[in-house]
Amino acid sequence: MTTLDREPALQRLHEMVRMRRFEEKTAELYSDGKIRGFLHLYVGEEAIAAGLMPLLGAQDNVVSTYREHGHALARGVTARAVMAEMFGRVDGCSRGRGGSMHLFSTAHRFWGGNAIVAGGLPLAVGLALADAMRGRSAVTVCFFGDGAVAEGEFHESLNLAALWRLPVLFACENNQYAMGTALERYAAQPDPCRKAEALGVPARRVDGMDVEAVSQASAELIAAVREGQGPRFVEFATYRFRAHSMFDAQLYRSKDEVERWRERDPIASFEARLRQRGWIDDAARAAIDAAVASEVDDAVAFADASPWEPVEQLLRDVTTPRAAP
Amino acid sequence: MTTITYREAVRAALVDALQRDDRVFLVGEDVGRYGGTYAVSRGLLEQFGPERIRDAPLSESAFVGAGIGAAIGGMRPIVEIMSVNFSMLALDQIVNTAATLRHMSGGQVSVPLVIRMATGAGAQLAAQHSHSLEVWYAHVPGLRVVAPATLADARGMLWSALQDPDPVIVFEHVALYNDKGELPEGAGAVDLDRAAVRRPGRDVTLITYGGSLPKVLAAAQTLAERGVEAEVVDLRSLRPLDDATITASVRRTHRAVLVDEGWRSCSLAAEISARLMEQCLYDLEAPVARVCSEEVPIPYPRHLEQAALPQPERIVAAALATMGGR
Ligand SMILES: Cc1ncc(C[n+]2csc(CCOP(=O)(O)OP(=O)(O)O)c2C)c(N)n1
Ligand SMILES: [Mg+2]
């Protein structure tokens, strides 16, 4: 495997730490009641967004799920805008209307956290269709969980993308569970790559706990998609360290299993690798922590200072305002 | 009497059904190992095993359709869909298959299927997890739609629904699961056909169902303190509607306020309003009033979510307006 150069490697580490600290803060804020509704954390899965997202350009599209804080941050949506959204404030990236599960930023071609499992896949096919029809060389990356592979929309969307040779990278974050149901307990064929292949989409399995593996594989896949070779499917094998959402007693998995995966923590393992290479020392690591802590504190302060939308505006943004005739 | 939550009442009904009829099984996403999205089925996997407490993949259309198939094959499935929003992925099976088989087959094939789903807003779950789409199903001939709003109905309606030879959809409002109260020992099956008067009164009829019932009862209490005796009718059955109970009440009070967490346009409230015009226009002393959700996808922030939903103050104001602003 080719490794990342020093600078990009340090950036990836920084990005993963940033996502982790941001989300750990949101869990605290949830207990404080600042953040409400459903909150699905990406803790453990950071290497995927950190490895893949920097490979995309401004013209590319990203479609995501309700577990999308890391995707949004890595795509460039500011920590302030994401935090304010989770607070429900008017300066949030969706004006507070969406919350944790519905982060949108058209400026980043970030087409939303979708909380209907597999709901984003057809959307990604359409975004890619538009690019193909307009002759743009953009790529659409569509993130979804392993659970989404069981939905009809997965099968329908992959078929359509393959049939029309559309520039989509279907990125399956296989964290081994759909809520509390383990992959082997809901899928007769537990290998999602074989399903993708059956639908005519070349597929590849990648270690989603290793940011360099993610980065290298994603670069190759994105290049193939961009060249017009049609869609690709990638399964990132990963694990969520925390509960599915804040309302989950985790009756369905053992602490041992969680511990075994935690030993492969994408941040700790990458940091150890960088230390071996002599690219990072205690001081540099502490500097990352300090930078991230101050960015997160700033985001919280920003979100807390952002106003609530006045109730008088309740009915706005249901339909598009028409220009006066 | 035992003190019990709404959630426990539904669970007791499930246990009862599973014990009484070996054709009954429960299928849905995370009903087993996880213990149910709203913890309704916690413990049932251990008690009844994976054959009868079946965790389904994220395949709403497939497992609802399989429920229909199992029902016509002689079983009595209870299908749980996590939320009415996700039931949209199974709409084809419910509307195009479950509701039509009996008719299309010239009366040969009945579908004794029960589908339970959570509905409603209040937990800041935003615009893909909070809607009250009951009326979509109440629109469809071939389906029966019920909404247990009380502990007794949560306990009793499931068994009654299982006795029905046709598909029954049971809507459980998420805000009710933690409601606590007394349930008589031996509480059992209930009549699915009739609406219930939950509070008698002579001045105005407040008609509602499901998760809005507690708000309406609170409004009736406030009205009583202001000298207005409101009668509260709980629809219980959303299809068919119990016209007799509704119109009898309105004929007594001459005023009606309809409270419905669905959006106003094309709502259940709209349907009931039309029936009141058809059946008792000349008994009315004021225009029928409606308190529904505002016409906006449910927003995430609490103050906007609450502003979008029917609230006791709005119900009180609407009732007073029918009394000439008393
Ligand atoms: C259509 C639909 N059905 C059910 C749900 C409820 N639900 C939310 S997340 C989830 C599990 C999805 O698992 P997976 O796709 O593996 O993603 P993960 O949460 O593991 O990232 C379920 C069942 C939903 N949001 N949408
Ligand atoms: Mg998963």
Side-chain angles (χ1 to χ4, degrees):
Chain A
M1 188 179 77
T2 54
T3 57
L4 288 165
D5 290 339
R6 181 189 164 113
E7 261 325 294
L10 290 171
Q11 278 164 12
R12 302 300 186 279
L13 181 66
H14 185 119
E15 188 64 49
M16 288 194 289
V17 174
R18 178 172 176 250
M19 289 178 210
R20 178 78 55 99
R21 294 288 172 270
F22 182 94
E23 285 202 317
E24 282 170 345
K25 188 69 194 175
T26 63
E28 273 173 42
L29 293 161
Y30 196 89
S31 308
D32 297 347
K34 291 280 186 188
I35 295 172
R36 304 300 306 157
F38 280 140
L39 176 63
H40 307 88
L41 301 182
Y42 195 53
V43 173
E45 308 184 29
E46 295 95 339
I48 303 167
L52 189 154
M53 216 64 89
L55 303 164
L56 299 179
Q59 77 283 15
D60 296 327
N61 297 301
V62 178
V63 175
S64 186
T65 68
Y66 49 85
R67 198 180 297 288
E68 88 282 37
H69 314 133
H71 300 152
L73 291 171
R75 181 60 177 159
V77 186
T78 64
R80 285 182 163 195
V82 175
M83 191 65 85
E85 186 58 36
M86 296 171 75
F87 275 51
R89 305 300 173 94
V90 73
D91 295 307
C93 57
S94 309
R95 290 185 61 85
R97 294 293 179 121
S100 159
M101 302 192 288
H102 306 299
L103 306 175
F104 283 79
S105 177
T106 50
H108 298 89
R109 304 190 75 76
F110 191 84
W111 303 102
N114 196 318
I116 300 301
V117 172
L121 281 88
L123 195 72
V125 171
L127 285 160
L129 176 63
D131 286 330
M133 291 178 76
R134 283 279 167 265
R136 298 185 287 245
S137 70
V139 168
T140 297
V141 177
C142 181
F143 290 99
F144 51 92
D146 49 289
V149 175
E151 292 281 12
E153 283 173 330
F154 168 85
H155 297 82
E156 296 171 25
S157 300
L158 264 72
N159 178 58
L160 206 52
L163 193 67
W164 293 344
R165 278 183 84 83
L166 297 176
V168 188
L169 176 60
F170 292 101
C172 177
E173 299 181 316
N174 180 0
N175 61 10
Q176 322 299 326
Y177 287 88
M179 236 168 101
T181 307
L183 179 60
E184 319 75 58
R185 295 187 59 249
Y186 70 78
Q189 169 50 270
D191 180 352
C193 291
R194 294 192 59 185
K195 291 183 180 163
E197 296 271 2
L199 292 160
V201 181
R204 191 157 151 191
R205 183 166 208 263
V206 173
D207 181 358
M209 306 303 270
D210 179 345
V211 69
E212 284 183 304
V214 170
S215 184
Q216 188 192 338
S218 302
E220 291 164 16
L221 291 163
I222 288 168
V225 171
R226 207 182 293 285
E227 276 166 23
Q229 294 181 28
R232 290 290 183 273
F233 175 91
V234 56
E235 174 199 357
F236 293 115
T238 184
Y239 199 78
R240 87 176 134 66
F241 292 168
R242 303 186 56 133
H244 167 74
S245 71
M246 305 312 262
F247 306 98
D248 171 8
Q250 302 192 64
L251 304 170
Y252 49 83
R253 64 182 188 181
S254 68
K255 291 211 167 67
D256 282 357
E257 179 184 301
V258 180
E259 274 319 304
R260 278 198 304 283
W261 278 91
R262 274 188 185 274
E263 283 162 18
R264 305 193 41 220
D265 186 316
I267 298 177
S269 60
F270 191 51
E271 181 187 334
R273 197 184 293 165
L274 297 189
R275 282 183 189 268
Q276 266 173 9
R277 289 182 201 157
W279 290 356
I280 190 168
D281 57 14
D282 288 348
R285 183 66 179 82
I288 293 179
D289 277 340
V292 163
S294 83
E295 186 186 4
V296 171
D297 287 348
D298 169 75
V300 174
F302 174 82
D304 227 0
S306 172
W308 296 105
E309 193 169 7
V311 173
E312 295 67 48
Q313 294 183 19
L314 175 63
L315 299 185
R316 74 170 267 163
D317 294 330
V318 177
T319 53
T320 310
R322 305 297 140 102
Chain B
M1 297 285 238
T2 46
T3 304
I4 185 171
T5 62
Y6 184 98
R7 167 184 295 108
E8 287 161 350
V10 179
R11 186 184 304 145
L14 286 166
V15 168
D16 186 33
L18 286 154
Q19 282 171 341
R20 280 166 76 169
D21 186 341
D22 66 5
R23 299 170 303 172
V24 170
F25 66 95
L26 176 69
V27 58
E29 288 157 13
D30 286 303
V31 295
R33 200 65 71 83
Y34 189 86
T37 317
Y38 293 98
V40 167
S41 52
R42 187 168 293 180
L44 298 194
L45 176 66
E46 292 72 18
Q47 194 176 345
F48 295 100
E51 276 283 304
R52 299 183 73 200
I53 307 295
R54 290 187 169 259
D55 277 323
L58 276 146
S59 307
E60 288 81 4
S61 188
F63 69 75
V64 170
I68 299 169
I72 67 177
M75 302 299 286
R76 287 291 179 276
I78 302 170
V79 177
E80 175 178 312
I81 304 180
M82 282 184 175
S83 112
V84 65
N85 278 95
F86 314 152
S87 79
M88 302 293 100
L89 282 80
L91 204 52
D92 168 58
Q93 288 296 323
I94 300 172
V95 175
N96 288 331
T97 304
T100 58
L101 279 185
R102 167 130 190 116
H103 183 78
M104 291 190 301
S105 66
Q108 299 174 77
V109 182
S110 293
V111 182
L113 171 70
V114 173
I115 303 177
R116 296 174 40 241
M117 49 180 115
T119 186
Q124 290 189 252
L125 300 184
Q128 290 182 327
H129 281 73
S130 302
H131 294 145
S132 285
L133 301 171
E134 294 85 302
V135 69
W136 288 41
Y137 295 104
H139 183 62
V140 181
L143 302 178
R144 184 196 271 279
V145 182
V146 297
T150 63
L151 293 174
D153 279 350
R155 175 67 182 82
M157 275 188 176
L158 187 73
W159 183 253
S160 310
L162 284 164
Q163 304 316 301
D164 197 290
D166 297 315
V168 182
I169 304 187
V170 183
F171 282 101
E172 297 162 13
H173 195 291
V174 291
L176 295 175
Y177 283 124
N178 289 328
D179 275 9
K180 223 185 215 149
E182 301 277 313
L183 191 70
E185 300 292 351
V190 294
D191 179 2
L192 290 185
D193 288 326
R194 312 297 297 183
V197 175
R198 298 295 182 197
R199 176 188 173 118
R202 59 174 195 282
D203 296 327
V204 54
T205 301
L206 311 179
I207 302 169
T208 192
Y209 69 91
S212 297
L213 179 63
K215 294 178 179 177
V216 170
L217 289 169
Q221 187 58 38
T222 307
L223 286 164
E225 287 153 17
R226 302 179 60 169
V228 173
E229 292 303 326
E231 179 147 298
V232 175
V233 175
D234 171 8
L235 293 173
R236 302 177 69 251
S237 170
L238 310 184
R239 182 184 187 94
L241 285 166
D242 176 9
D243 289 2
T245 302
I246 298 168
T247 55
S249 175
V250 174
R251 287 202 175 97
R252 276 195 304 275
T253 64
H254 310 292
R255 295 172 179 85
V257 177
L258 315 178
V259 182
D260 176 357
E261 200 178 304
W263 292 296
R264 177 186 308 260
S265 302
C266 309
S267 56
L268 268 164
E271 174 61 26
I272 295 166
S273 173
R275 290 179 187 220
L276 292 175
M277 302 308 158
E278 288 163 351
Q279 297 173 43
C280 45
L281 178 64
Y282 300 111
D283 296 293
L284 289 169
E285 284 179 18
V288 169
R290 287 189 281 163
V291 180
C292 301
S293 282
E294 298 293 341
E295 308 255 337
V296 58
I298 300 294
Y300 162 66
R302 180 169 172 79
H303 68 299
L304 296 181
E305 179 185 48
Q306 292 302 319
L309 301 173
Q311 299 295 353
E313 309 77 62
R314 278 171 60 200
I315 301 165
V316 168
L320 292 176
T322 68
M323 313 280 304
R326 184 137 67 113

